[in-house]
Amino acid sequence: MMKAASKSGNSVNKPLALVQIDDLSRHVCSTLRRCPCRLGNSFIEMTGGLLRHCLRKHLAGQAAHPGNSKMAKMGNCSDRQARRNLRQLEAWSVLIPFSDKKGGRRATRYWLDLIALKRAMVLAGCNPSRELVEKIDAVSDLLRTDIRADMRPDMMSAGYSKDTPSAPAGNFRVVGGSDV
């Protein structure tokens, strides 16, 4: 496995895939900050944190299941604001719940759709750069090609389930904003 040099210069190196995920997350956050509809800082930070969390889980062949308190910590916000942010990502079809939707003893499992993220950034007017689109495509390809034998049988590739829900049709809407 290829390793990349860390920016801090310490002896611990991250695998290249994790460096790509972290870089993608930072680039998405900086792009969301340019949105003309002024997205909240907690939403932007939580989106970056969820990208890192979900993509790492998908890369390992596991379903992402961040709890509400973890998402609130990612966004440096209250639990209630974290739920609002999560509803926005679900409305954009970026995070799609596919298992344990009612909660209970287990946190809801989510599927992260990077294509929907690209579409949402374009429709929100963030104007993602060609470089960001290439990074999203590279990470998508990385996830698709990382097929492991120890993954669940209902998984075709890391994070992609055979019964993954499709994105709902309808208008794109920014919570608290207008239809685009």
Side-chain angles (χ1 to χ4, degrees), residues 68-79 82:
N68 197 47
S69 60
K70 185 175 208 163
M71 289 186 283
K73 188 175 179 181
M74 288 176 191
N76 196 20
C77 60
S78 67
D79 285 353

Side-chain angles (χ1 to χ4, degrees), residues 15-139:
L16 182 58
L18 298 183
V19 171
Q20 288 176 317
I21 289 170
D22 291 345
D23 186 43
L24 172 65
S25 172
R26 280 190 300 276
H27 203 146
V28 165
C29 287
S30 66
T31 301
L32 289 174
R33 281 188 176 79
R34 292 194 314 253
C35 185
C37 60
R38 295 200 171 252
L39 299 170
N41 194 46
S42 68
F43 175 78
I44 294 168
E45 293 302 321
M46 190 172 123
T47 301
L50 283 171
L51 278 172
R52 287 187 300 275
H53 175 77
C54 292
L55 292 175
R56 287 169 190 246
K57 288 289 190 178
H58 294 340
L59 188 65
Q62 302 169 356
H65 52 90
N68 197 47
S69 60
K70 185 175 208 163
M71 289 186 283
K73 188 175 179 181
M74 288 176 191
N76 196 20
C77 60
S78 67
D79 285 353
R80 188 171 178 168
Q81 182 62 42
R83 284 192 300 272
R84 283 189 209 109
N85 294 340
L86 180 63
R87 282 195 304 268
Q88 178 65 59
L89 290 170
E90 287 176 355
W92 285 359
S93 299
V94 172
L95 274 179
I96 302 170
F98 72 90
S99 176
D100 300 313
K101 295 176 188 175
K102 298 209 182 219
R105 291 182 161 228
R106 296 183 58 172
T108 303
R109 279 25 181 183
Y110 290 97
W111 175 66
L112 180 75
D113 188 355
L114 289 172
I115 306 304
L117 178 64
K118 278 195 296 192
R119 182 177 53 244
M121 287 190 296
V122 168
L123 291 173
C126 297
N127 194 19
S129 66
R130 183 181 309 267
E131 181 183 356
L132 176 57
V133 171
E134 289 171 358
K135 286 178 184 181
I136 290 173
D137 292 341
V139 170

Side-chain angles (χ1 to χ4, degrees), residues 120-176:
M121 287 190 296
V122 168
L123 291 173
C126 297
N127 194 19
S129 66
R130 183 181 309 267
E131 181 183 356
L132 176 57
V133 171
E134 289 171 358
K135 286 178 184 181
I136 290 173
D137 292 341
V139 170
S140 293
D141 290 343
L142 177 72
L143 291 175
R144 277 189 223 113
T145 59
D146 188 31
I147 298 175
R148 297 176 33 170
D150 61 340
M151 290 178 4
R152 293 182 0 212
D154 64 330
M155 301 294 275
M156 296 180 295
S157 179
Y160 294 95
S161 176
K162 290 179 183 173
D163 55 328
T164 300
S166 61
N171 290 338
F172 177 81
R173 182 167 175 82
V174 176
V175 173

